[in-house]
Amino acid sequence: NECETSSPCGQICENNEGSYRCLCKAGFSVNHTNGECQDIDECALTITHTCTQQCDNTPGSYRCICDRPGYSLDNSGYCTTRANCSGIGCDVVHGGCDVKDGCFCNTGYTHSDTGATCIRESVDWCAEERS
C-alpha cells in the first residue's frame, strides 16, 4: 500500500491493486507535471462562481465582494442594494440607492435631468482632440 508507506500525494492518496492514484480536494486540481494539487482560480472561470460584482479567489474556494457603493452581500451571495429603492424611485439597473446618500449611478453613468434614472455618460471626443 503505497499510500500508507510513502504518502506520495499532496492531499488524497487512493490505493489501487499494485498502484495508487493522487486526488485533490474540492477547489484544487492535479498538476500533471509534478503531481501536486494546485488551487483552481474560480474567479477566472465565470462558470464556477456566481459573483455579481467582484470575486476574490481563496485557497480551494472563492468569496464574493460588493465593491459598488450602496450594495451589500445577501444570504444567497448576490450583491443587492442596502436600501429598498422601490419607493424612492432610484434607477436600480445602472445605479441604486444608499441609505446615507440616496440615489447614485454606477461608474460610466450620470443622473438624467429628472435625477430618477441613470444615463450613460457622453464623451465629446472632438473636445478632447482640441485640448
Side-chain angles (χ1 to χ4, degrees), residues 11-12 23-29 37-40 42 58-62:
Q11 289 186 358
I12 302 168
L23 302 170
C24 298
K25 297 175 183 175
F28 293 87
S29 65
C37 293
Q38 63 187 25
D39 179 52
I40 297 171
E42 292 87 357
T58 61
S61 190
Y62 68 94

Side-chain angles (χ1 to χ4, degrees), residues 88-125:
I88 301 172
C90 296
D91 184 339
V92 295
V93 176
H94 302 294
C97 66
D98 186 287
V99 176
K100 185 177 125 204
D101 301 322
C103 295
F104 67 87
C105 294
N106 293 336
T107 304
Y109 291 84
T110 187
H111 288 285
S112 65
D113 292 339
T114 64
T117 59
C118 297
I119 55 174
R120 188 174 294 280
E121 290 178 340
S122 61
V123 176
D124 185 350
W125 297 105

Side-chain angles (χ1 to χ4, degrees), residues 27-126:
F28 293 87
S29 65
V30 176
N31 180 326
H32 295 292
T33 305
N34 61 16
E36 305 249 334
C37 293
Q38 63 187 25
D39 179 52
I40 297 171
D41 185 355
E42 292 87 357
C43 296
L45 308 167
T46 55
I47 59 170
T48 58
H49 73 83
T50 58
C51 300
T52 55
Q53 290 185 17
Q54 185 179 343
C55 181
D56 180 33
N57 189 52
T58 61
S61 190
Y62 68 94
R63 66 185 175 126
C64 297
I65 299 170
C66 302
D67 58 349
R68 293 184 192 150
Y71 285 83
S72 62
L73 206 59
D74 67 13
N75 292 335
S76 303
Y78 294 100
C79 293
T80 56
T81 54
R82 286 190 289 235
N84 182 359
C85 296
S86 59
I88 301 172
C90 296
D91 184 339
V92 295
V93 176
H94 302 294
C97 66
D98 186 287
V99 176
K100 185 177 125 204
D101 301 322
C103 295
F104 67 87
C105 294
N106 293 336
T107 304
Y109 291 84
T110 187
H111 288 285
S112 65
D113 292 339
T114 64
T117 59
C118 297
I119 55 174
R120 188 174 294 280
E121 290 178 340
S122 61
V123 176
D124 185 350
W125 297 105
C126 296

